[in-house]
Amino acid sequence: MKQDIFGLTIEELQAALTAKGMKTFRAKQVFQWLYQKSVFDFSAMRNLSKADIALLEENFTVLPRRIAVLREQNSSDGLTSKLLLGLPDGNSVETVLMRHDYGCSVCVSSQVGCDMHCAFCASGLNGAVRNLSAAEIIAQVYLFNERLRGENTMVSRVVVMGSGEPMLNFDAVIGALDFLHREDTCLMSYRNMTISTCGIIPGIRRLAEQGKPINLAVSLHAVRSELRTSLMPVNKGFPFADVITAAEAYSEAGGRQVTYEYILLKDKNDSVQDAELLSNYLRFKHASVNLIPANPVPEQGFERPSRQRVERFLKILQKNRINATVRKEMGKDIDAACGQLRAKFAKEQEHK
């Protein structure tokens, strides 16, 4: 069996390569090719000898070369690209590149599927299959880095907001972010990283203990208990009021503003009453609200509110001095919602 070296630290890579007879300095060269130049084919690593390349090809593999792009969708404006990635074990995950005027960000998945079973989300239609490894999370970023190489740029921001609940795969997620933060890889600031959670309070507390200025986003989506429980079953174990308290403690510990994600669902959580209640819970908190008009998920039967109702909700929050914006929509024409592309692919495979 060949050893996959993707995601190893420089020290781990040195140990692996020298054990096969390579000189120590070669590990640094390979490391630079992988993580600074986003080159994953040993034969393209031009400062290695033919003998070294042959040794590498005989003994090692690199994960991004073992991942298949099963589907690719690009938005008509050229700003968003979504990939459905086939992992070596046959599972698949989605990842999305978004181009902004301040750089490129990637939304990564942390699990294959999701066990949160949020009523409006396609990611949890079939539950969670398994956690992703740190290397599999890192690879989602580097597959786009490889594509951006010709533009002489790299991904500068990462959002752990794809399929899965990051706090249920905490060690791998933090391991991946620490790796991307390294000076000899992406040199990505922790301030350019965001972890989104449905409200797993122990995970929020563990993140606070890390002492790293990582942005926290909380998927809230309702502030009426029965409604939130019907939309997000996680509310039974971690009631939203307790989640807000934990998030505020995280904010106070690190000085970082918490973002509350709020998907607006027609005639479900978009009323004047809902806007006033949300304002009451977040008043005087170091927080902002990101309003997200729902991407329709046909399997779940939810609709998007009218633009007028979205604007009404926003104005109520702003009137109550809550920092709120409506998310700029990207990739609306390419199955933008988490899990949609994977679910569509799975359905196609069933009918073959």
Side-chain angles (χ1 to χ4, degrees):
M1 288 285 290
K2 294 182 180 182
Q3 179 184 358
D4 198 306
I5 58 173
F6 191 78
L8 299 184
T9 64
I10 184 63
E11 296 81 13
E12 292 168 336
L13 184 60
Q14 285 173 342
L17 298 192
T18 55
K20 296 298 182 181
M22 291 187 71
K23 295 181 179 179
T24 304
F25 75 92
R26 290 297 189 197
K28 185 175 181 180
Q29 292 175 321
V30 173
F31 199 89
Q32 289 172 337
W33 281 109
L34 292 175
Y35 307 114
Q36 294 176 18
K37 301 177 183 179
S38 303
V39 171
F40 309 122
D41 293 315
F42 296 129
S43 61
M45 298 179 180
R46 295 188 300 274
N47 57 354
L48 302 183
S49 68
K50 289 183 179 179
D52 285 331
I53 290 172
L55 188 149
L56 287 167
E57 290 180 338
E58 180 182 354
N59 294 282
F60 303 105
T61 59
V62 180
L63 181 60
R65 287 289 72 86
R66 300 167 59 218
I67 293 176
V69 178
L70 302 175
R71 290 283 189 278
E72 177 175 350
Q73 294 182 336
N74 297 292
S75 62
S76 56
D77 59 13
L79 297 178
T80 308
S81 297
K82 187 167 193 175
L83 304 179
L84 179 66
L85 304 177
L87 303 175
D89 67 354
N91 284 302
S92 61
V93 294
E94 297 173 359
T95 185
V96 182
L97 172 75
M98 293 158 285
R99 296 171 182 268
H100 307 278
D101 52 8
Y102 51 77
C104 294
S105 63
V106 169
C107 179
V108 299
S109 295
S110 56
Q111 296 178 307
V112 177
C114 184
D115 264 341
M116 295 296 96
H117 299 290
C118 296
F120 45 81
C121 181
S123 294
L125 289 174
N126 297 307
V129 178
R130 66 171 177 85
N131 287 335
L132 295 182
S133 66
E136 288 171 328
I137 297 170
I138 297 164
Q140 294 174 63
V141 174
Y142 269 92
L143 283 166
F144 281 120
N145 276 343
E146 181 182 26
R147 291 169 174 236
L148 294 169
R149 194 171 60 205
E151 302 174 31
N152 200 31
T153 189
M154 294 177 72
V155 174
S156 58
R157 296 171 183 265
V158 65
V159 183
V160 191
M161 200 180 285
S163 296
E165 168 51 62
M167 296 305 187
L168 298 182
N169 191 17
F170 189 93
D171 291 336
V173 168
I174 294 299
L177 298 185
D178 285 344
F179 192 90
L180 295 170
H181 177 70
R182 288 178 62 109
E183 186 176 354
D184 52 7
T185 61
C186 283
L187 188 57
M188 190 183 296
S189 169
Y190 285 124
R191 296 178 183 273
N192 287 350
M193 301 175 180
T194 301
I195 295 177
S196 175
T197 178
C198 288
I200 307 298
I201 293 174
I204 296 173
R205 290 172 178 162
R206 285 188 70 187
L207 189 61
E209 292 167 1
Q210 292 280 314
K212 298 165 184 172
I214 296 171
N215 299 298
L216 175 66
V218 175
S219 297
L220 195 57
H221 308 318
V223 284
R224 285 182 279 137
S225 189
E226 287 186 9
L227 173 61
R228 189 169 191 264
T229 298
S230 68
L231 295 175
M232 305 178 69
V234 70
N235 194 62
K236 295 176 185 177
F238 301 107
F240 72 86
D242 296 341
V243 172
I244 292 173
T245 298
E248 185 67 5
Y250 178 81
S251 175
E252 291 174 356
R256 305 294 290 166
Q257 179 175 270
V258 175
T259 299
Y260 290 91
E261 309 284 345
Y262 195 99
I263 290 180
L264 288 166
L265 303 163
K266 182 181 177 182
D267 298 328
K268 296 288 185 181
N269 64 352
D270 62 343
S271 68
V272 170
Q273 178 195 13
D274 288 307
E276 292 289 358
L277 280 172
L278 180 60
S279 299
N280 290 340
Y281 275 105
L282 297 185
R283 189 172 281 116
F284 308 122
K285 301 289 193 300
H286 190 36
S288 64
V289 176
N290 191 14
L291 296 175
I292 309 166
N295 280 303
V297 179
E299 297 90 342
Q300 310 291 41
F302 291 107
E303 297 181 42
R304 171 188 294 248
S306 66
R307 187 173 65 181
Q308 291 77 11
R309 286 179 75 98
V310 172
E311 285 296 320
R312 183 183 69 181
F313 201 99
L314 174 65
K315 287 178 180 178
I316 293 172
L317 295 180
Q318 292 174 336
K319 178 199 70 175
N320 289 320
R321 299 185 179 182
I322 304 299
N323 182 10
T325 55
V326 177
R327 177 184 286 180
K328 177 184 176 183
E329 291 195 282
M330 299 186 72
K332 185 180 175 183
D333 56 339
I334 57 167
D335 297 320
C338 290
Q340 281 189 332
L341 185 55
R342 178 171 174 262
K344 182 182 291 186
F345 179 79
K347 190 171 291 185
E348 289 173 3
Q349 298 306 298
E350 288 176 5
H351 291 93
K352 279 189 176 181

